């Protein structure tokens, strides 16, 4: 079965079971500046897992594009990927363990035709925070999983949370037995030997964790995630995702183009190219900071491996074409953004090629000077990064090829200091979507707070901000709302904002403890992402929001507010575009 068919079957199956199919959120989270990329299907759904009403109902399903970069330097082995697709289904306070497990079992065995004996499952073993998950285990037994294929593990294996804080809970994981011989008498799903491969994870999200520990959520949710590349590989009986149709045409082409044979390099090239293309299609661009830096590393590492295999860098275009041709049906955004993708990748390649050979020379010089050690100090790794644009993975690989190691810890320290400095300059982009700070953008920023307050008055207090974006000549504001605004609603919102501007309300900035801010009723999009001491901006008695600023001193500075457009942004989310006109 091809990947696209597995995706189709999945969405159809859950649709048949009452789930609304929702679109994949972009890889670059529009409304969450605190994370670099979307890393799981649940990420865009957090507000709904916490109790907000989703306009599409309580049962949702989708495919979600994800990028995870913590293992970037593992790519090249037979399983790690930076980009992958996660199929998911959710219950937002609707069904729970029994039904979720029954559906997973039916989908795996009936729709995908996996023999029951190939499946093993794991459940949460229980601890002081949460009891042993007998309910899940019984549901598996009832479905048809034999008792000796059910395992219990602790929080390390069977508990899911994104990061340190947030919605979480025990999970049950499904494993596929590849048929490889057991590595020993203790070989179990938790074992890394490759016999068992995890295929699906159902999280029973009924807790929320913060610095005070665990508390129960108001609603019991189910969040599941099934990795498409892995499932495709297993169903096709392939050893690695690179042997499936998702990668194999590019892998074959690389084999044809290479002058030196190295399978790891081919995988790195194929994987990093696909990831880069997906990130660029969703608006990512290479830079030295955060998201942009991830993309830069992916492209540069790919280029170096192309050089290593002595593949002509001009063949990048051909490789991009293969992906657009083969993945275009799954990801129409690749077809739509084909030209931009090519342009961005070629430009970045050209930039890197300029410094690459000088950097390699510098590297050779530096190791020539090392005495009595095979560890390359962090300062050299940093200099190669700073002066020649060498991502540390590249230096690490170069070092390895020459019999050296790098001092990654001291590099990381230098890098962190450097990033903090650069980030201070671009901090604003992480605050309410402000990309640059000028007199105009500051005005728009204050207008955003007024608009947020006006929407709440007109549409209802459950209409929350979902994102915003400001340039010097307009603002954009996203909020949840289940209908297109009527002309009257639009007018009323516009009038309210203008009334508050005319009233000349003072804008007051205060610092306070996060808890006090919440108690005082201050608005905020991602409460868990803020530090303990926060800045709160209050505008008259109209608006109070956690915000980094900056803002004008008085609303009378804003001019006249005009809504230019109101449209759908994504399902259940409306977008207002507005301008301020000098009076
Ligand atoms: N959030 C869980 C995961 O990422 C299940 O979707 O595995």
């Amino acid at each position: 079965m091809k990947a696209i068919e597995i995706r189709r079957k999945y969405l159809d199956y859950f649709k048949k079971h009452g789930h609304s199919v929702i679109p994949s959120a972009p890889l670059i989270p529009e409304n969450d500046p605190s994370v670099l990329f979307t890393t799981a299907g649940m990420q865009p759904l957090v507000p709904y897992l916490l109790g907000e009403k989703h306009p599409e109902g309580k049962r949702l399903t989708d495919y979600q594009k994800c990028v995870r970069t913590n293992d970037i330097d593992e790519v090249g082995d037979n399983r790690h990927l930076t980009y992958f697709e996660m199929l998911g289904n959710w219950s937002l306070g609707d069904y729970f363990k029994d039904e979720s497990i029954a559906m997973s079992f039916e989908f795996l065995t009936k729709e995908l035709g996996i023999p029951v004996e190939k499946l093993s499952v794991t459940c949460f073993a229980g601890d002081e925070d949460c009891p042993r998950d007998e309910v899940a285990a019984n549901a598996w037994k009832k479905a048809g999983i034999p008792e000796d294929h059910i395992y219990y593990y602790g929080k390390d294996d069977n508990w899911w949370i994104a990061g340190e804080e947030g919605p979480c809970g025990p999970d049950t994981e499904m494993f596929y037995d590849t048929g490889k011989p057991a590595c020993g008498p203790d070989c179990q799903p938790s074992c890394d030997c490759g016999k068992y491969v995890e295929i699906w994870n159902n999280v029973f999200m009924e807790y929320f964790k913060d610095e005070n520990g665990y508390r129960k959520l108001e609603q019991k949710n189910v969040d599941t995630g099934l990795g498409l590349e892995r499932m495709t590989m297993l169903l096709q009986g392939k050893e690695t995702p690179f042997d499936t149709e998702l990668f194999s045409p590019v892998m074959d082409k690389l084999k044809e183009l290479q002058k030196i044979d190295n399978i790891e390099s081919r995988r790195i090239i194929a994987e990093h190219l696909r990831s880069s293309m997906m990130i660029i299609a969703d608006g990512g661009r290479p830079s030295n900071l955060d998201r942009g830096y991830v993309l830069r590393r992916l492209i540069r590492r790919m280029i170096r491996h192309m050089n290593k295999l002595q593949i002509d860098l001009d063949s990048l275009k051909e490789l991009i074409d293969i992906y657009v041709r083969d993945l275009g049906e799954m990801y129409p955004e690749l077809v739509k953004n084909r030209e931009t993708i090519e342009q961005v990748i070629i430009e970045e390649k050209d930039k890197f090629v300029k410094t690459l050979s000088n950097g390699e020379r510098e590297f050779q010089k530096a190791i020539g000077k090392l005495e009595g050690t095979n560890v390359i100090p962090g300062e050299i790794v940093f200099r190669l990064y700073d002066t020649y644009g060498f991502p540390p993975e590249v230096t690490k690989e170069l070092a390895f090829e020459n019999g050296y190691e790098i001092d990654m810890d001291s590099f990381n320290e230098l890098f962190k200091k450097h990033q903090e400095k650069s980030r201070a300059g671009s901090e604003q982009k992480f605050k309410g979507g402000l990309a640059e700070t000028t007199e105009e953008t500051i005005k728009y920023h204050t207008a955003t707070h007024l608009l947020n307050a006006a929407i709440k008055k007109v549409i209802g207090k459950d209409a929350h901000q979902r994102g915003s974006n400001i340039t010097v000549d307009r603002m954009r504001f996203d909020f949840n709302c289940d209908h297109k605004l009527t002309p009257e609603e639009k007018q009323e919102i516009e009038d309210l904002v203008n009334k508050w501007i005319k009233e000349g309300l003072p804008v007051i900035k205060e610092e306070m403890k996060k808890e006090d801010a919440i108690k005082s009723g201050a608005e905020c999009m991602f409460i868990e992402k803020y530090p303990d001491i926060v800045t709160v901006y209050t505008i008259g008695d109209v608006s109070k929001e956690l915000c980094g600023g900056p803002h004008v001193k008085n609303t009378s500075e804003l001019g006249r507010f005009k809504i230019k457009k109101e449209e759908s942004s994504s399902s259940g989310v409306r977008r207002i575009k507005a301008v301020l006109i000098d009076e």
Side-chain angles (χ1 to χ4, degrees):
M1 211 180 298
K2 285 193 170 168
I4 196 164
E5 288 164 48
I6 300 175
R7 183 209 271 175
R8 208 173 285 137
K9 265 188 193 279
Y10 187 95
L11 299 179
D12 285 351
Y13 177 83
F14 283 99
K15 197 171 162 191
K16 202 171 77 199
H17 287 81
H19 294 67
S20 306
V21 182
I22 58 169
S24 171
L27 270 178
I28 298 175
E30 272 219 312
N31 308 323
D32 188 346
S34 66
V35 289
L36 296 182
F37 296 103
T38 303
T39 57
M42 54 77 74
Q43 207 173 295
L45 295 172
V46 171
Y48 309 104
L49 293 163
L50 297 181
E52 200 173 293
K53 236 176 115 199
H54 194 286
E56 299 288 331
K58 293 182 171 178
R59 294 179 176 219
L60 308 175
T61 184
D62 72 1
Y63 75 85
Q64 176 61 49
K65 304 184 276 183
C66 300
V67 164
R68 290 187 185 174
T69 53
N70 24 356
D71 295 325
I72 200 165
D73 51 9
E74 303 283 340
V75 174
D77 67 4
N78 57 5
R79 61 193 172 104
H80 281 91
L81 300 175
T82 56
Y83 172 84
F84 66 99
E85 179 175 320
M86 194 187 277
L87 299 170
N89 60 283
W90 287 271
S91 156
L92 305 169
D94 192 46
Y95 59 83
F96 206 43
K97 298 179 186 178
D98 287 330
E99 208 175 331
S100 159
I101 287 173
M103 286 190 285
S104 289
F105 183 82
E106 186 178 53
F107 181 73
L108 293 174
T109 54
K110 298 264 157 48
E111 299 287 328
L112 299 184
I114 298 176
V116 181
E117 57 277 13
K118 284 207 154 283
L119 294 173
S120 292
V121 301
T122 66
C123 302
F124 184 56
D127 63 9
E128 64 281 5
D129 300 316
C130 172
R132 186 175 176 88
D133 203 349
E134 302 288 3
V135 178
N138 283 332
W140 283 120
K141 273 183 234 164
K142 206 172 132 206
I145 299 281
E147 194 134 13
D148 60 353
H149 279 209
I150 301 176
Y151 297 80
Y152 292 90
Y153 299 120
K155 274 217 179 72
D156 281 351
D157 292 295
N158 280 87
W159 189 271
W160 203 88
I161 183 165
E164 297 294 316
E165 294 189 359
C168 57
D171 66 31
T172 183
E173 298 183 2
M174 288 143 261
F175 287 78
Y176 180 91
D177 182 349
T178 56
K180 289 183 187 153
C183 61
D186 293 332
C187 189
Q188 295 187 7
S190 61
C191 175
D192 235 4
C193 72
K195 178 175 175 58
Y196 297 98
V197 182
E198 185 202 326
I199 48 176
W200 202 349
N201 181 13
N202 295 9
V203 186
F204 304 119
M205 233 168 221
E206 53 169 330
Y207 293 89
F208 188 91
K209 186 181 177 219
D210 59 20
E211 69 266 37
N212 303 319
Y214 295 93
R215 63 178 161 82
K216 282 245 172 156
L217 282 173
E218 270 164 41
Q219 80 189 20
K220 292 180 175 174
N221 308 294
V222 178
D223 150 36
T224 93
L226 180 159
L228 181 63
E229 287 78 0
R230 200 178 278 181
M231 184 59 93
T232 307
M233 154 189 119
L234 291 170
L235 291 182
Q236 295 178 5
K238 300 281 166 51
E239 280 283 309
T240 81
F242 299 101
D243 304 312
T244 69
E245 81 283 0
L246 296 170
F247 293 100
S248 60
V250 167
M251 291 293 284
D252 292 346
K253 188 78 205 169
L254 290 170
K255 209 165 187 175
E256 198 184 304
L257 294 168
Q258 69 182 18
K259 303 215 172 56
I260 291 171
D261 181 39
N262 184 319
I263 182 141
E264 281 181 15
S265 292
R266 284 203 301 281
R267 287 174 185 162
I268 291 171
I269 300 165
E271 202 285 334
H272 286 5
L273 179 61
R274 187 177 78 137
S275 236
S276 305
M277 290 174 66
M278 294 303 300
I279 294 173
I280 298 167
D282 276 359
R285 297 292 178 268
S287 77
N288 277 336
L289 208 60
D290 301 318
R291 288 171 187 150
Y293 185 51
V294 172
L295 178 58
R296 171 154 284 169
R297 279 154 75 197
L298 290 169
I299 300 178
R300 294 189 171 196
R301 187 161 179 240
M302 163 181 87
I303 299 296
R304 208 189 73 83
H305 282 274
M306 288 181 76
N307 281 340
K308 208 173 139 184
L309 303 190
Q310 294 181 9
I311 294 175
D312 184 351
L313 297 180
D314 285 339
S315 44
L316 265 174
K317 286 190 187 151
E318 215 177 325
L319 298 171
I320 292 172
D321 279 341
I322 298 179
Y323 273 142
V324 173
R325 182 197 70 200
D326 289 355
L327 304 181
E329 193 186 347
M330 283 181 87
Y331 303 115
E333 59 269 44
L334 291 180
V335 181
K336 199 169 140 214
N337 297 295
R338 200 204 160 292
E339 260 167 55
T340 313
I341 292 170
E342 185 180 306
Q343 196 187 339
V344 171
I345 292 179
I346 302 294
E347 251 170 46
E348 182 62 17
K349 172 206 75 163
D350 290 343
K351 265 194 203 144
F352 189 43
V353 165
K354 275 201 193 119
T355 61
L356 187 59
S357 53
N358 287 343
E360 289 191 334
R361 211 170 305 133
E362 180 72 22
F363 171 86
Q364 293 298 345
K365 242 197 324 207
I367 56 173
K369 284 191 198 142
L370 288 181
E371 274 171 30
T373 173
N374 70 338
V375 181
I376 304 176
E379 295 87 72
I380 295 180
V381 183
F382 186 76
R383 183 147 43 97
L384 283 165
Y385 158 75
D386 203 29
T387 317
Y388 301 98
F390 274 37
E393 297 84 13
V394 166
T395 307
K396 190 172 164 187
E397 287 169 357
L398 265 175
F400 180 76
E401 287 160 22
N402 287 274
Y404 288 82
E405 285 171 33
I406 64 171
D407 182 349
M408 198 63 192
D409 288 343
S410 66
F411 167 80
N412 279 340
E413 238 161 74
L414 291 166
F415 182 73
K416 219 169 110 196
K417 270 193 214 136
H418 174 80
Q419 287 259 298
E420 270 157 21
K421 260 195 247 149
S422 350
R423 193 171 290 117
S426 63
E427 188 80 315
Q428 295 314 329
K429 108 169 165 301
F430 292 97
K431 287 177 183 153
L434 263 188
E436 49 186 327
T437 313
T438 66
E439 222 174 281
E440 282 313 307
T441 55
I442 295 173
K443 285 186 194 169
Y444 276 116
H445 198 187
T446 308
T448 302
H449 286 217
L450 291 181
L451 175 59
N452 193 5
I455 288 172
K456 282 208 169 51
K457 273 217 152 48
V458 176
I459 307 297
K461 61 178 183 342
D462 291 333
H464 293 290
Q465 174 167 356
R466 284 279 170 262
S468 80
N469 178 281
I470 289 168
T471 69
V472 287
D473 46 26
R474 60 115 182 100
M475 59 189 275
R476 214 174 71 187
F477 185 84
D478 292 355
F479 58 104
N480 59 296
C481 172
D482 59 6
H483 64 275
K484 181 169 176 58
L485 298 193
T486 63
E488 293 75 30
E489 284 172 330
K490 265 197 301 201
Q491 193 61 51
E492 218 180 308
I493 291 170
E494 191 177 294
D495 290 348
L496 258 179
V497 173
N498 281 319
K499 173 173 161 269
W500 292 331
I501 294 176
K502 278 222 178 68
E503 284 171 1
L505 305 170
V507 182
I508 314 274
K509 175 182 176 181
E510 284 167 286
E511 296 216 325
M512 57 176 89
K513 281 206 198 128
K514 183 155 96 172
E515 305 132 56
D516 295 340
I518 298 164
K519 265 189 227 136
S520 77
E523 266 280 313
C524 139
M525 259 207 302
F526 297 105
I527 191 67
E528 64 283 3
K529 307 288 160 56
Y530 281 84
D532 291 339
I533 301 291
V534 296
T535 316
V536 173
Y537 278 89
T538 310
I539 310 180
D541 58 2
V542 166
S543 146
K544 194 177 207 136
E545 283 193 41
L546 261 75
C547 172
H551 283 279
V552 300
K553 294 260 175 311
N554 190 291
T555 57
S556 60
E557 294 166 46
L558 299 186
R560 191 160 58 83
F561 172 81
K562 174 124 200 64
I563 295 181
K564 288 294 224 191
K565 202 170 182 182
E566 188 269 343
E567 61 191 2
S568 160
S569 158
S570 59
S571 135
V573 178
R574 307 294 305 176
R575 171 169 288 178
I576 283 182
K577 290 187 181 150
V579 293
L580 288 170
I581 303 161
D582 283 340
E583 297 261 88

